[in-house]
Amino acid sequence: MFYDRDIKNRLMLGTAQYPSPEVLRAAIAASDVEVITVSLRREGSGGAGFRDILRQSGCRILPNTAGCHTAREAVTTAHMARELFGTNWIKLEVIGHADTLQPDPFGLVEAARILCADGFEVFPYTTEDLIVGEKLVEAGCRVLMPWGAPIGSGQGLRNIGGLRAMRAHFPKVPLIVDAGIGAPSQAMLAMELGFDGVLLNTAVAKARDPVAMARAFAQAVTAGLDAYRAGLMPARDMAQASTPVFGMAELLA
């Protein structure tokens, strides 16, 4: 549940960088996603064809504040997005470092507090830092979106221990891995760790076949979720035979 809304498909797809509007439309259909993210700047430059895709997709729109470097910029962009898309959902990005695109934790918490008080349902793009997570929850966020790795890097889950600790620290808060996922196996791992969703863009949009890759990611996320719910076996230091020794035939010399 994300802000009291049940989302069955836990893959969320970005809408930038696709080779054509037709490929974007086909990728959304192939993945059967229910939530797509859209930046206000992308919508403004996409033209009528892009807006038609958004409208016809049947997906819930999660606008984002991509490109904002201050809390003030992010808050202003969020208000514009709410007017344009008619939703209180907002993916909040406040970038603090130009090269890594790492979030600015101070600006992020400040913007989250303002937007939550103004009725927004905020999905904050953050790191796996537990203290920042606590501050965002205290500000009113009911979802957290820690990165797996820097945006667009395809490095996967660089800090598995940190993500696992975050899952344990926030057992009742929906957590979505956002950014850095480059392969379906990495998305599956995030779900096997107990995360509630995966948001990605570049790995699909820049694939040789974005439509096939979108389908692969959707299958991987479903498989990871099923595996987590089924109960993964714990890793062991030693081998353990699956066939018992008791009852085996004794061969006499």
Side-chain angles (χ1 to χ4, degrees), residues 11-82:
L11 175 65
M12 301 179 181
L13 205 58
T15 55
Q17 306 183 77
Y18 287 83
S20 70
E22 292 73 23
V23 172
L24 170 58
R25 189 193 310 274
I28 292 172
S31 61
D32 197 31
V33 292
E34 300 174 55
V35 177
I36 54 177
T37 63
V38 182
S39 89
L40 193 63
R41 297 178 183 183
R42 173 75 176 98
E43 199 283 337
S45 63
F50 181 66
R51 287 190 287 273
D52 286 343
I53 292 173
L54 301 183
R55 184 172 58 253
Q56 296 166 7
S57 70
C59 295
R60 185 175 187 89
I61 304 297
L62 175 59
N64 67 59
T65 63
C68 293
H69 290 262
T70 67
R72 182 178 179 180
E73 279 185 311
V75 169
T76 300
T77 302
H79 279 92
M80 294 170 65
R82 181 161 66 178

Side-chain angles (χ1 to χ4, degrees), residues 84-109:
L84 181 62
F85 296 109
T87 178
N88 284 328
W89 276 23
I90 191 74
K91 179 191 169 189
L92 178 61
E93 297 183 26
V94 182
I95 301 302
H97 193 275
D99 292 332
T100 65
L101 301 182
Q102 180 171 329
D104 171 3
F106 306 102
L108 182 66
V109 172

Side-chain angles (χ1 to χ4, degrees), residues 87-152:
T87 178
N88 284 328
W89 276 23
I90 191 74
K91 179 191 169 189
L92 178 61
E93 297 183 26
V94 182
I95 301 302
H97 193 275
D99 292 332
T100 65
L101 301 182
Q102 180 171 329
D104 171 3
F106 306 102
L108 182 66
V109 172
E110 178 186 354
R113 184 175 293 112
I114 294 170
L115 293 173
C116 288
D118 196 29
F120 282 88
E121 296 176 321
V122 178
F123 292 69
Y125 162 62
T126 182
T127 65
E128 66 277 19
D129 188 287
L130 301 183
I131 304 305
V132 176
E134 287 180 349
K135 296 297 183 183
L136 289 168
V137 171
E138 290 172 4
C141 298
R142 292 163 56 193
V143 174
L144 297 175
M145 302 183 77
W147 65 352
I151 294 172

Side-chain angles (χ1 to χ4, degrees), residues 147-150 153-160 163 177 179-183 186-187:
W147 65 352
S153 69
Q155 296 177 20
L157 309 185
R158 292 201 309 181
N159 185 2
I160 293 176
L163 291 171
V177 172
I181 297 292
Q186 298 164 359

